[in-house]
DNA sequence: GTCTATACAAAGATAGAC
DNA sequence: GTCTATCTTTGTATAGAC
């Protein structure tokens, strides 16, 4: 079968194009990236991009779906795990997002920019409101274990504290005497423990 | 003086171009906006855009500076007001940002995208670390009035809780049974009171 | 100051050779 | 599958009439 003669090699053109597109689209967005940039980054000819993916738009879609999944998949799994407590879920959401951010620092801003353009593509509120996590939370409020809190507020707080620091990082990372990469990683790893503590403290307020 | 014959009218072309550019650049960014879009939005000919501003880039710079000032000016003023306590400063930062966000909801994401492209243009860490607010905070820690907390963490928490919800709004605002505009405004106004409470709660943790 | 027309440049997509 | 060459479309900037 001559068709699959390239399937075994690791760095074929198709793969290199996707990798280049992932890097560029994720960090700069659709409009700022030119097909010629992708071709150069991948070390191939522009014509090949169209040969494999038909258009810039189709290629972008692949990268967008990838990023959306990276951003939301772990999240909804954690929220609906019947075996963990709501407190454990909070810890897991935080560490899950911080790990993701340290590995793929461009993904959050990419996803948020995309979500602004196409809000209809992202359906998080429903996922959150119908989740196992929400039920556990409402039970804890009913039994007076924790003080009443608006569920949207709580969810916003958890993701804000986890994700925003990575988005705002360029603002805090100025020239001299500033937040180095290593220090930032250290800080975010500390926050894995601290954010759940802070969140639990807010749940005690009457 | 024939030169200023248009200065008095309210809706001259120059002004209309800036307004159109503000709207489009702030919501979509530099690359996604075409000069023809701006001209159409302003109801003028493309040629006029070049006549008044020489290029798309120069026009963009005007809008960028506007947005940066909108985002940072109030912030550094509040941080350095000698007459307010650190607790009052926290309340003011929160309500200042939430007010700004409700009035100009596109500005935060615009600024963060810009800051990522040109981190050297934004010098916030220095402003925060050398501020009156920081000194007051360190005094409060020394006198055991509050538990020790990393200053960067505290600052991150305050701005995360205030700003992120507006950036993440499209994610939570799905089709049916969802966060309407009015409900969002209400929620954010509630958060003006709640965020300082939450922050103060975290300052009590040993 | 404002418009029309147009030049000039960049970007996306395709045909056809190898 | 990959390249060169080229076409089309789109975007930016300018010249010149009114």
């Amino acid at each position: 079968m001559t068709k699959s003669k390239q399937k075994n090699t690791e760095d074929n053109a198709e793969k290199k194009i996707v990798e280049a597109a992932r890097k560029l689209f994720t960090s700069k967005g659709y409009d700022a990236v030119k097909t010629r940039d992708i071709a150069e980054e991948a070390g191939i000819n522009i014509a090949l991009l169209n040969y494999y993916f038909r258009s810039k738009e189709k290629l972008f879609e692949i990268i967008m779906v990838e990023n959306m999944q990276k951003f939301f998949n772990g999240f909804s799994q954690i929220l609906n795990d019947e075996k963990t407590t709501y407190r454990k879920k909070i810890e897991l959401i935080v560490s899950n997002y911080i790990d993701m951010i340290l590995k793929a620092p461009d993904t959050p801003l990419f996803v948020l920019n995309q979500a602004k353009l196409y809000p209809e593509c992202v359906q998080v509120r429903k996922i959150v409101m119908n989740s196992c996590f929400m039920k556990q939370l409402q039970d804890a409020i009913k039994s007076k274990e924790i003080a009443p809190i608006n569920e949207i507020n709580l969810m916003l707080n958890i993701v804000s504290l986890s994700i925003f620091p990575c988005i705002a990082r360029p603002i805090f990372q100025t020239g001299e005497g500033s937040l180095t990469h290593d220090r930032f990683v250290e800080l975010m790893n500390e926050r894995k423990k601290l954010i759940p503590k802070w969140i639990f403290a807010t749940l005690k307020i009457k």
Side-chain angles (χ1 to χ4, degrees), chain A:
Chain A
M1 311 304 173
T2 51
K3 273 185 187 177
S4 59
K5 71 178 167 187
Q6 289 263 359
K7 282 277 165 73
N8 302 320
T9 65
E10 288 305 327
D11 59 342
N12 54 39
E14 192 172 355
K15 209 169 179 175
K16 282 194 289 184
I17 293 170
V18 173
E19 273 162 22
R22 180 182 302 123
K23 177 180 164 183
L24 293 172
F25 280 142
T26 307
S27 68
K28 299 185 178 182
Y30 182 80
D31 292 291
V33 174
K34 312 304 167 192
T35 51
R36 285 177 166 85
D37 301 340
I38 298 174
E40 195 184 354
E41 175 75 29
I44 53 93
N45 190 284
I46 331 168
L48 270 192
L49 196 152
N50 269 70
Y51 172 73
Y52 282 115
F53 303 99
R54 258 199 65 76
S55 75
K56 180 188 177 184
E57 216 174 334
K58 299 238 185 251
L59 179 55
F60 180 77
E61 243 184 74
I62 293 169
I63 306 304
M64 191 186 65
V65 171
E66 260 188 33
N67 276 315
M68 291 288 177
Q69 286 179 346
K70 199 182 280 177
F71 197 78
F72 290 116
N73 272 3
F75 185 63
S76 69
Q77 276 167 23
I78 291 169
L79 283 184
N80 285 305
D81 184 347
E82 303 274 352
K83 295 187 213 108
T84 54
T85 63
Y86 75 90
R87 290 172 73 96
K88 185 68 186 172
K89 286 189 181 61
I90 292 175
E91 287 170 10
L92 285 172
I93 293 167
V94 171
S95 66
N96 185 60
Y97 267 126
I98 291 180
D99 284 340
M100 193 216 63
I101 280 165
L102 293 177
K103 261 185 241 155
D106 290 328
T107 295
L109 197 54
F110 176 93
V111 168
L112 292 167
N113 278 316
Q114 249 1 76
K116 193 186 165 196
L117 285 170
Y118 309 104
E120 64 281 3
C121 293
V122 193
Q123 297 275 347
V124 172
R125 193 171 189 260
K126 224 186 254 171
I127 293 170
V128 172
M129 296 310 275
N130 299 328
S131 67
C132 169
F133 175 73
M134 254 328 128
K135 289 185 203 88
Q136 292 176 315
L137 202 71
Q138 282 155 358
D139 288 346
I141 293 172
K142 235 178 237 168
S143 69
K144 315 259 183 183
E145 186 187 328
I146 57 174
I149 183 170
N150 176 307
E151 305 89 342
I152 293 288
N153 268 332
L154 176 60
M155 211 62 240
L156 279 174
N157 292 354
I158 296 169
V159 294
S160 297
L161 293 172
S162 305
I163 296 170
F164 190 79
C166 129
I167 298 173
R169 190 188 162 191
I171 285 177
F172 285 86
Q173 181 187 32
T174 67
E176 356 124 22
S178 86
L179 214 53
T180 61
H181 176 70
D182 288 351
R183 181 71 192 100
F184 179 75
V185 173
E186 201 182 355
L187 193 76
M188 290 309 289
N189 278 317
E190 288 165 17
R191 286 177 73 89
K192 281 192 210 170
K193 299 255 177 194
L194 291 169
I195 293 171
K197 271 193 196 172
W198 294 327
I199 294 288
F200 298 149
T202 70
L203 292 177
K204 286 179 194 156
I205 302 175
K206 303 286 159 187

